Amino acid sequence: MSLRLSTVILPYRRWPEGGRAAWQRAEQLGFHTAYTYDHLSWRSFRDGPWFGAVPTLTAAAAVTDRLRLGTLVTSPNFRHPVTLAKELISLDDISGGRVTLGVGAGGTGFDATVLGQEPWSPRERADRFAEFVALLDRLLTEDGTDGVSYRGDFYSAHEARNIPGCVQRPRLPFAVAATGPRGLRLAARYGQAWVTTGDPQLGENGTPDQSVQAIRGQAEKLVDACAEVGRDVTGMDRILLTGFTPDRGRPLTSLDAFVDFAGRHRELGFTEIVIHWPIPDSDFAADEKVFERIAMEAPAQLA
């Protein structure tokens, strides 16, 4: 099976000052999808420029033609399914059906308290995630004139209308980020793809071999989750967002290093590898010439 190569472009540059050029270059380099983080700010970038995900993707849709676009990932931290669904339907229309929604439970950083709420417990976060994804699925699928009405523990909707619905049918695809049992069940039920960054417990002190084994275990649990809902896992894409395994930035040090890294994960059934667009003086610093060589040459070697 050939392996798709995608990138994630963080929204820290003004659009006329490198923002537009990065998305256009991503298409020229042949990336399958260009994603962006859906945060209000993020880690070391918190005290600098940072722009919104949906407006950025909308602008990217207007200056590209073939490149798929997406979030990696959106979460319930500061989103509501009703307003998010309307934005996604609009973005899917503007892009001509090129949008993938990466969605996850959300982290515990700045976004978790930016609206003034107390941090959610792991259980509440999982409960909210389950309700968030289920309602979003309905909002993006049921586009009739009766609208969608729902009252849950965390989210409600009253006759929410999303006419004409998504360009992609029955709705735009979900790429569900999950590692725990509840999240994997959500991925099995609602996801067209599953996303992982590896085992967070190994990111700092683990080894690459330990990471591969941990990801293998996650993939096996996904198979079990799909079996529980009567789904064939072979029809589901598997996406690895790189940069958080013990390898860190080493796969981007050379073409050979990346092909070796990607090949080991292709053997685990992954269909898409996502690499960060280089950002100087950050955790995602990399040689841009090497990055572009990987983009242009690695897919053929991994076919």
Side-chain angles (χ1 to χ4, degrees), residues 164-179:
C166 296
V167 173
Q168 300 172 87
R169 292 292 180 169
R171 59 156 167 77
L172 55 83
F174 288 179
V176 181
T179 56

Side-chain angles (χ1 to χ4, degrees), residues 97-140:
R98 291 186 283 137
V99 177
T100 295
L101 178 72
V103 61
T108 57
F110 171 73
D111 288 345
T113 56
V114 67
L115 299 183
Q117 73 269 35
E118 291 296 317
W120 301 328
S121 68
R123 182 183 180 87
E124 183 180 0
R125 187 172 297 282
D127 289 343
R128 283 179 177 271
F129 184 36
E131 195 170 301
F132 185 91
V133 172
L135 178 53
L136 194 58
D137 173 69
R138 286 191 60 195
L139 289 162
L140 293 173

Side-chain angles (χ1 to χ4, degrees), residues 1 35 87 103 133 141 144 147 163 168 171 200 208 252 255 279 282:
M1 178 184 295
Y35 300 94
E87 292 182 349
V103 61
V133 172
T141 305
I163 302 168
Q168 300 172 87
R171 59 156 167 77
L252 297 187
L255 174 62
I279 303 174
S282 77

Side-chain angles (χ1 to χ4, degrees), residues 61 63 90 135 142 159 168 202 250 278-279:
V63 298
S90 302
L135 178 53
E142 300 175 23
E159 298 180 1
Q168 300 172 87
L202 297 174
R250 286 195 292 275
I279 303 174

